[in-house]
Amino acid sequence: MTMRAARELTFLKAIFRRPAGAIGGGWLICVLLAALVAPLITPYAYDVQVLKEAFQPPSATHLLGTDEFGRDLLTRLLYGARTSLSVSSISILISVVCGMTLGAAAGYFGGAFDRAVTTVVDLSWSFPEILIALILVAIIGPGISGTMAAIAVAYLAQFARLTRSQIMTLRGETYVEAARSLGAGHAHILFRHLLPNALAPVLVSAMLATGDAIILEATLGFFGLGAQPPVPSWGAMMSSGSGLLFKAPWIIIFPGLAVAITVIAINLFGDGLIAALDIRAKIRRTE
């Protein structure tokens, strides 16, 4: 086993060694696997209506019951996990990449560019994410693409500010001055020396922001601005069940539990990630 592989294995062990990281990571792995193999583990289609089986409570035939159109709720929950998790994760990934690039450039070059970026970022930071998302979805239009763009922009300021502060702290370090004196260009210094050392706090922030993004995606879906029927999402499922709370409470309870437990699991896994990154830093300091 190479030294790099040993480090990564130690890093993963450190995450799952803590109860919080093990519980959170275990739940996330189960949800992801269930969503990926949904067509193999459920005999029902998520978009086929069987009206004669509408409003059936949980039973051996339908483990989580059926909705108002007779569709199996467990099937839609699994397919909804695909929508909610993929939209949230991809949106945060786009936001991280764009935010880190913008924040790194602003923190490294400074000057008028830094002031302009900081002004725009601070202005967007002053508005709640849900308000920014609602405005952008209203402009772009409802659907998965509009939701992803809205979430990515809503969290862009968070990663740009964090990266900027990290770069401004690191750019005066000795190894940066040494690289500059050896003739390294700006791109080499940024991407080879500064960004890798600024990645850890951004990674933790992105992990925790993914949980918030799931809630935001569910909120947009609840308002009918997310994935459009018949594509299931947890928020849209909760919206359809909100008016049936006393007639068929399982329609809204199970998607709501899925959102709540998944967000809690992400935060627990984030705690384990924070501890693991601290261990990794200690390992590097001893080398």
Side-chain angles (χ1 to χ4, degrees), residues 20-21 23-28 207 259-271:
I23 294 172
W27 173 262
L28 293 176
M207 186 70 202
V259 172
I261 296 175
T262 301
V263 171
I264 292 173
I266 289 174
N267 283 274
L268 291 175
F269 188 76
D271 290 341

Side-chain angles (χ1 to χ4, degrees), residues 25-283:
W27 173 262
L28 293 176
I29 290 173
C30 290
V31 171
L32 290 172
L33 289 178
L36 289 174
V37 300
L40 304 177
I41 62 179
T42 175
Y44 305 101
Y46 71 86
D47 56 349
V48 175
Q49 300 181 10
V50 186
L51 297 180
K52 64 180 180 180
E53 296 183 2
F55 301 117
Q56 287 193 11
S59 63
T61 304
H62 300 282
L63 296 180
L64 300 184
T66 62
D67 62 9
E68 68 272 28
F69 297 110
R71 298 172 296 193
D72 182 68
L73 200 62
L74 177 59
T75 300
R76 291 184 60 79
L77 201 66
L78 295 178
Y79 279 93
R82 286 183 166 188
T83 303
S84 297
L85 296 179
S86 61
V87 168
S88 303
S89 301
I90 294 173
S91 301
I92 292 299
L93 178 61
I94 295 172
S95 188
V96 166
V97 172
C98 296
M100 287 193 70
T101 302
L102 194 62
Y108 181 77
F109 293 107
F113 179 73
D114 180 35
R115 291 193 294 272
V117 170
T118 303
T119 301
V120 174
V121 166
D122 288 344
L123 182 62
S124 63
W125 186 264
S126 63
F127 294 97
E129 288 86 356
I130 181 62
L131 180 59
I132 297 175
L134 287 172
I135 293 173
L136 289 174
V137 170
I139 295 173
I140 300 173
I144 292 179
S145 299
T147 300
M148 290 175 60
I151 295 175
V153 174
Y155 289 95
L156 182 66
Q158 173 178 333
F159 301 114
R161 284 170 60 96
L162 181 57
T163 305
R164 174 182 175 273
S165 65
Q166 291 291 310
I167 295 299
M168 292 184 69
T169 302
L170 295 171
R171 67 181 182 182
E173 293 291 332
T174 305
Y175 62 86
V176 177
E177 296 296 334
R180 188 179 290 113
S181 65
L182 291 173
H186 295 311
H188 178 84
I189 293 174
L190 267 174
F191 292 102
R192 181 67 179 84
H193 297 288
L194 292 178
L195 281 177
N197 288 288
L199 185 61
V202 177
L203 181 62
V204 174
S205 180
M207 186 70 202
L208 300 178
T210 303
D212 296 336
I214 291 176
I215 296 176
L216 182 54
E217 189 278 334
T219 303
L220 294 174
F222 188 87
F223 291 146
L225 300 174
Q228 299 300 294
V231 178
S233 72
W234 289 343
M237 293 171 66
M238 293 171 63
S239 178
S240 65
S242 61
L244 303 167
L245 181 59
F246 297 103
K247 183 177 182 179
W250 55 87
I251 297 179
I252 189 173
I253 288 176
F254 289 121
L257 285 175
V259 172
I261 296 175
T262 301
V263 171
I264 292 173
I266 289 174
N267 283 274
L268 291 175
F269 188 76
D271 290 341
L273 182 61
I274 292 172
L277 289 171
D278 183 60
I279 291 174
R280 169 175 277 187
K282 292 179 180 178
I283 293 174

